[in-house]
Amino acid sequence: MSKKDEYIAKARAQFDEQVARLDQLKAQAKQNIADTKVDAMNRIEELEKHVAEARSRLEAITDVAEDKFEEAKAKFESTAAGLKDSIQNLLNR
């Protein structure tokens, strides 16, 4: 084999190795994206539960007697603040 042929064979082997590494990186990136999507969907599901709870507490305020208003208001505000914090934490990730 000539020097040229040897060089070309070696260069192709090195190039093919780099292409294989790039393919591996792409596969890892796709897996990371899938994992992130699953995690985000799980977090959103939890947030939807918080939304439902906050909505329920807000509705409770409208139906509560005047003497129980402050207690119902405090429960709603606590739930709403927790929801706001949870949403902000998810957005900051």
Side-chain angles (χ1 to χ4, degrees):
M1 198 187 302
S2 72
K3 267 184 143 175
K4 177 182 172 185
D5 291 337
E6 286 178 19
Y7 175 81
I8 290 171
K10 182 179 176 182
R12 280 192 178 143
Q14 289 174 345
F15 176 76
D16 290 344
E17 181 181 332
Q18 296 309 311
V19 170
R21 289 178 71 193
L22 177 59
D23 289 342
Q24 183 181 19
L25 287 172
K26 283 193 253 182
Q28 286 175 345
K30 285 181 183 180
Q31 183 60 48
N32 290 342
I33 289 169
D35 291 345
T36 300
K37 183 177 179 179
V38 167
D39 183 53
M41 293 307 295
N42 288 338
R43 290 174 186 272
I44 288 169
E45 213 172 273
E46 285 299 312
L47 289 173
E48 287 174 341
K49 290 177 187 176
H50 290 289
V51 166
E53 182 181 356
R55 183 175 287 123
S56 174
R57 292 197 187 271
L58 181 59
E59 290 301 317
I61 292 173
T62 63
D63 298 334
V64 75
E66 195 67 32
D67 63 328
K68 300 285 185 182
F69 169 72
E70 289 299 325
E71 181 182 338
K73 176 183 156 192
K75 286 180 181 179
F76 169 72
E77 288 177 351
S78 174
T79 302
L83 174 63
K84 181 181 177 183
D85 290 344
S86 294
I87 290 172
Q88 191 59 50
N89 287 340
L90 182 59
L91 290 173
N92 290 339
R93 292 185 133 238

